[in-house]
Amino acid sequence: MAKHKKFERSENYTFYSDLLWCSVPLTGMACYYYGMRPALLMLAGLLTAYLFDCALAPLHGAGYQPHEPSSECFAALIVLMMPATVSYAVVVAAVIAAVLVKEAFGGEGHYPFHPAAVGMAVAGISWPEQLYVYPVPGTKLPLFNPALKYAAVEGMNTTLRGGGLPSDSTMELLTGNVSGGMGICASLVIVACGLFLLARGHLRPAVLIPFFVVCVGLPWLFPQLNELPFLSAPWQFVRQRVYLEKYILLSGTTLFGGLFLACEPVTMPNRTNAQVAYGIILGVAVFFFRNLSPYETPMCFALLIVDAIPEWLDLISHRTERIRFMKKEEQRLAQSSDTE
């Protein structure tokens, strides 16, 4: 009897499978606030990712890999960043764009840009009227009725970009009782999932620490608040700055993106020094996209820019380490020759 071909799990299998598990409680929170429509949107995204992964995998000759769940993971991330009122067609289009980017460059482990960021960018540019207005939490949405009239509000990033502060309380931000993407508002759940990923060894402190330091430090130094001078001293207006930092971290995609997108193992650099530089540059890019772009997901657009340089950062880090090694060797040889 012919033996069944045994597939070995991909190198990043546990990373993607653990991210998929993290999407479960976030989807559950969205269902609590909006009914079962978020679960159906998630199902539509996962099914689309599976079907198009099967269809497009032959493009690079390897065929479909049943042991590699990255496409489904990217679909889950895309759905979690979208509002609960988005149409199923937009979800399908965004997921197809993500799978296309992944498979066009050779499949898992070869894509230069984060596929979930690409999918969100394509959908955000094409359908901003659907992606950047959000229902009020507690609105029970029907499963199939895209023409439903509901109370819609703009995202908090729009308020911050305009120089104001949202009125949501800290508890509402922590529990996700605010208008925003389905999975990016429940900060307590996001942090719990981040701790789980950290314990599993999936998060890289060399990326996360400089990223969050920059995301907090730049708004503290250059607060975009109408009531504050742009170049006021950092020790002035401390209370207003603290409120600003709260909304920057706990609203939008800063916390979600830092924990779920920034440490993508395929697109981030490999060397520690390069990862530190990557985190700093990504934080700077998020700061500028948040303040200057009209989109509610600055993390995704920042990733598309910064993901172009990880190999270059690795190359610089390698050359720097080599130069340091050569200098140490020269000093060691010089000292040994002096002793002789």
Side-chain angles (χ1 to χ4, degrees), residues 15 19 22 77 187-195 197-198 202-204 208 211-212 253-264 299:
F15 173 79
L19 271 183
C22 289
L77 293 175
S187 300
L188 282 178
V189 180
I190 293 173
V191 170
C193 292
L195 292 175
L197 295 175
L198 182 63
H202 299 316
L203 301 184
R204 298 292 179 267
L208 288 182
F211 170 74
F212 283 119
T253 55
T254 301
L255 184 62
F256 179 91
L259 296 178
F260 292 164
L261 300 177
C263 293
E264 161 65 37
M299 181 70 182

Side-chain angles (χ1 to χ4, degrees), residues 85-162:
T85 49
V86 68
S87 69
Y88 295 97
V90 172
V91 170
V92 170
V95 172
I96 290 175
V99 177
L100 275 173
V101 167
K102 171 196 165 185
E103 299 297 349
F105 287 96
E108 197 271 329
H110 299 92
Y111 41 86
F113 304 101
H114 198 303
V118 174
M120 278 299 296
V122 170
I125 293 173
S126 303
W127 299 281
E129 72 284 353
Q130 288 204 40
L131 255 67
Y132 301 134
V133 290
Y134 305 95
V136 176
T139 305
K140 300 303 178 182
L141 303 172
L143 298 180
F144 304 99
N145 192 355
L148 173 72
K149 298 299 181 181
Y150 57 90
V153 296
E154 293 181 327
M156 283 185 277
N157 191 57
T158 302
T159 304
L160 294 172
R161 188 172 57 249

Side-chain angles (χ1 to χ4, degrees), residues 154-174:
E154 293 181 327
M156 283 185 277
N157 191 57
T158 302
T159 304
L160 294 172
R161 188 172 57 249
L165 286 176
S167 57
D168 303 278
S169 68
T170 302
M171 185 57 65
E172 289 173 335
L173 291 170
L174 292 176

Side-chain angles (χ1 to χ4, degrees), residues 20 69 209-210 318:
L20 281 173
I209 292 175
H318 174 69

Side-chain angles (χ1 to χ4, degrees), residues 21 146 204 243 289:
W21 281 114
R204 298 292 179 267
Y243 276 108
F289 271 100

